[in-house]
Each structure stands twice: as C-alpha cells, then as structure tokens.
Amino acid sequence: CMVAGIWIAKKYLSYTTPMYESTTKLRLADVGESVTGANLFKDLDVFASANKIAAEIEVIKSHVLLEKVLDKIGYHTTLYRKGAIKNTELYNDSPINLQMSIEDDQWYGKDFIISVKDTENYTLTLPNVGTTLAGKMDESLQFEGGKLLVGINRPLLEEKRNMTIIGTYVYQVKNKEALIQEVLTHLDVTSVDKDVPVIRISYKSAVPEKAAVFVNALASAYIDDYISIKYQAAETTAQFLDNRIDEVSKKLSNSENNIQGYRDDKNIINIRQETET
C-alpha cells in the first residue's frame, strides 16, 4: 500500500500543473508627514489607519488600475502546447509567434487549435464549429470574424537547438473584462498588519515569470498612479495661485493708477518724496 501510494503521488505530481506565487510589498505614503527624518519622534509614531490601508487595497484591486497593468504587459492572449494528458502554457519560450485580430465577440475565450506540420504549413481548427483551415507561415489566414498570422520564433529556435516547432497548440484570446475577473481570482492584496502601512501583493500563475512580471507591474502602476494624482493636485493648486496672483497684481496696478490720477487731479504733492528726488 505504501509503495502504491508513493507511485500514485508521483504520477499525480507529474501530471498536475504547479502554481507559482510571487509577492511584492508596498509602503504607503504618509500625506500628513514631511520628509522622513524631519521630525524623528513623529516618524516613530503609528500614522496609518486601518481605513486608509483598506482604501488603498481596494484601489490596487480596482478595474481601472488592472486595465492599465494588462494593457502594459499584454496578458490578453494565451498559448498552450497540447499534450496527451495536460497542456503546457508557453510564455516567452514559444517556438511560434501568433497574432490574431478578432472582429466577432463569439471567439473571445475560445480554444483555437493550431497544428503545425512543418516549418511552412499549419492548420487552424475553429472552436465550436470544428472547421479546419489550411495556412502558411508568415501569411495572414482569414476566417469568419477574424484573421490569424503565424510565424516562426527563429531566435528562440537558434538558442534552443533541441526545441521542435512541430506539434499541436491551443490559442486563446480573452476580452478585457473576462481577463480582469480571471486575474482577480489569482490576485491577493492584504495588509501586513492593521497598524503597519505596508501592503502585500501576491499573484499565482502556472508560469513563474508571469507571476513575477504581474506583481511588479501592478506595484509600478500603483506608484505611477499615486504620483500622477499628486502631480495633478499640485498642478491645480499652482494654477489657482497663479490666477489669484495675476488678479491681485491687476487690482494693485489699477489702484496705483487711480491714486496717481487722484493726485494729479487734486494737485497733491508728496513733499518728502519730492525732496528726496
């Protein structure tokens, strides 16, 4: 029984898809404090509230911020190499390059089967309908509601001599909303402690590089968004002050002109000013 159990466990681990988790941390900015070190005793005090930390967590998980991240790193397409038992996701180690343009929403989230026979020919099987189309490398293949372009990743093949391009691939194109919902299922944003202004961002993926790239991109997008908001607020304040200064300068100039006109009309002479002159 023990030997059988060990054999079953090994088979399970060889067939299952492992999930990798990457984590990054963010320290929240304190809007009520000046530069760190300007006041030592205040810096040692607890300055973050639970409400502020919870609000920033919701900002990180917001659709607006996630859309910026996904547009930057481009997770809208997924390519798998089809195996006998399980499919293996290919990220930067794909022997073929694919570009698909979809005009019909019915193709989003569906599995396109691409069978590469040699370095020149391949076949495309459309999902649901089961229609098979023949295509050639580096030539656009038109189908109802979209088109596909398949090319060979020659730099990778030259780097990895033992890699073969022949095989069956599964290609998916996801719409933005479905992709965000999928990301949220693997995304975990929590606070280290309720009184510590540090947020932990964790993301799980079957490809370790995708997990690392996503958490770094999300943290970078949050920082850029925070700086942009602060910059816009400062720009608005500066613009308001400039307008007020211009308005006060005009009033001051008009007042000086009125005073000088009044002096000229009444023949008022400033004896001290004239004497010094």
Side-chain angles (χ1 to χ4, degrees):
C1 291
M2 183 180 65
V3 172
I6 294 175
W7 181 81
I8 293 174
K10 286 186 176 180
K11 286 296 181 182
Y12 171 78
L13 293 177
S14 63
Y15 293 145
T16 188
T17 301
M19 296 295 290
Y20 299 89
E21 182 178 19
S22 185
T23 302
T24 188
K25 294 179 181 180
L26 282 174
R27 182 180 186 272
L28 299 182
D30 178 23
V31 296
E33 292 289 330
S34 58
V35 181
T36 301
N39 195 324
L40 180 60
F41 296 102
K42 287 187 177 181
D43 286 344
L44 292 177
D45 194 8
V46 176
F47 57 83
S49 64
N51 293 334
K52 174 179 173 58
I53 296 176
E56 297 304 317
I57 290 175
E58 294 302 321
V59 169
I60 293 176
K61 295 193 296 184
S62 65
H63 283 210
V64 176
L65 199 62
L66 291 178
E67 284 182 8
K68 294 181 180 180
V69 175
L70 294 175
D71 291 339
K72 180 179 179 180
I73 60 180
Y75 284 0
H76 299 85
T77 61
T78 308
L79 179 65
Y80 300 90
R81 182 183 286 272
K82 188 174 180 62
I85 297 178
K86 68 173 183 177
N87 298 335
T88 304
E89 183 176 355
L90 304 176
Y91 182 52
N92 287 333
D93 54 348
S94 172
I96 59 175
N97 297 322
L98 292 94
Q99 296 180 4
M100 181 175 287
S101 175
I102 292 180
E103 301 174 357
D104 194 347
D105 293 343
Q106 68 168 336
W107 300 125
Y108 283 114
K110 302 299 178 60
D111 293 340
F112 290 86
I113 307 299
I114 302 172
S115 299
V116 179
K117 300 179 179 179
D118 48 46
T119 57
E120 296 182 358
N121 302 292
Y122 70 91
T123 59
L124 171 65
T125 303
L126 300 179
N128 298 336
V129 295
T131 304
T132 301
L133 304 175
K136 290 185 175 296
M137 295 292 180
D138 300 324
E139 293 183 5
S140 179
L141 177 61
Q142 192 83 22
F143 60 91
E144 185 179 357
K147 57 183 177 180
L148 173 67
L149 178 63
V150 180
I152 301 176
N153 191 353
R154 301 187 186 278
L156 182 63
L157 292 178
E158 293 178 359
E159 180 182 352
K160 299 181 179 180
R161 300 288 184 177
N162 57 346
M163 178 177 289
T164 177
I165 192 176
I166 300 174
T168 303
Y169 303 87
V170 180
Y171 189 67
Q172 288 184 357
V173 179
K174 301 173 183 176
N175 59 8
K176 188 172 294 184
E177 187 61 29
L179 181 58
I180 290 176
Q181 295 299 328
E182 180 181 347
V183 166
L184 287 174
T185 58
H186 300 291
L187 178 64
D188 184 27
V189 183
T190 57
S191 61
V192 176
D193 189 83
K194 64 179 181 178
D195 294 329
V196 179
V198 176
I199 293 178
R200 181 190 292 112
I201 303 175
S202 300
Y203 185 73
K204 294 180 181 179
S205 176
V207 181
E209 187 177 356
K210 289 182 68 174
V213 168
F214 182 82
V215 293
N216 290 330
L218 182 57
S220 177
Y222 171 79
I223 295 173
D224 293 340
D225 183 71
Y226 182 84
I227 294 175
S228 176
I229 292 175
K230 292 299 180 184
Y231 178 79
Q232 291 176 2
E235 188 72 17
T236 303
T237 303
Q239 186 66 32
F240 173 77
L241 294 176
D242 290 340
N243 295 335
R244 293 297 298 170
I245 291 173
D246 292 340
E247 183 180 350
V248 172
S249 298
K250 291 179 181 178
K251 289 183 179 181
L252 178 61
S253 178
N254 293 333
S255 299
E256 291 177 349
N257 293 332
N258 293 335
I259 292 174
Q260 186 63 39
Y262 181 80
R263 288 177 177 177
D264 294 340
D265 293 340
K266 302 298 182 180
N267 293 323
I268 298 174
I269 298 176
N270 189 339
I271 301 300
R272 178 176 296 180
Q273 182 179 359
E274 295 296 333
T275 302
E276 291 177 355
T277 302

